[in-house]
Amino acid sequence: MAEDSPKRRKANFNEAETEVLIEQVLKHEQLLFAAGPGRASPGQKRKVWELIRHKVNPVAACPRDVEDLKKRWRDLKRRDRSKLCRLSQGCGPPGPAATLGLFLAPEEMPPAAAPPA
């Protein structure tokens, strides 16, 4: 009877999962996203994403797979770009600040990382 029931979606990412994901992806950013002749092989990238998955799953509401993490990362980047676009009203390519990961608004950032008001 379980085959007949519709597939249920996974729970939303919680704050802890998102923080660990951002921390780990930024830590391994060079390996995952570098371009040019020195970039990592697909096998190396797969190993890094598995490592990230092993770091995220202990704080996850439900087990996450690598594809879930990649999708969440893409969504975070897109949200960041649209925030920058709305702020600048230009909607052109993001500036260097976007590469550092302005994923959280100042009120969402941990106190140590928040810029002075």
Side-chain angles (χ1 to χ4, degrees):
M1 193 84 182
E3 295 86 27
D4 296 338
S5 63
K7 184 177 178 182
R8 297 187 49 92
R9 68 180 191 88
K10 292 184 178 182
N12 291 343
F13 274 72
N14 62 35
E15 189 176 325
E17 288 173 279
T18 302
E19 286 178 17
V20 172
L21 175 63
I22 291 171
E23 173 189 314
Q24 291 299 312
V25 170
L26 291 178
K27 180 178 177 182
H28 299 287
E29 185 176 27
Q30 186 64 31
L31 257 174
L32 292 171
F33 307 115
R39 69 176 182 234
S41 71
Q44 290 171 316
K45 290 179 183 183
R46 191 172 29 255
K47 286 179 184 177
V48 171
W49 279 111
E50 284 294 328
L51 173 74
I52 293 171
R53 184 179 67 86
H54 286 295
K55 300 275 185 168
V56 170
N57 275 338
V59 297
C62 64
R64 305 291 182 184
D65 57 23
V66 170
E67 289 307 313
D68 295 334
L69 300 176
K70 287 180 178 181
K71 182 180 184 317
R72 178 65 174 161
W73 179 253
R74 285 190 304 268
D75 290 346
L76 288 168
K77 286 194 314 182
R78 187 183 69 242
R79 186 180 79 188
D80 183 43
R81 283 190 202 114
S82 55
K83 273 186 184 179
L84 287 174
C85 182
R86 284 193 307 269
L87 290 174
S88 68
Q89 300 294 324
C91 297
T99 61
L100 297 176
L102 298 175
F103 297 105
L104 302 175
E107 61 273 6
E108 297 172 322
M109 289 185 182

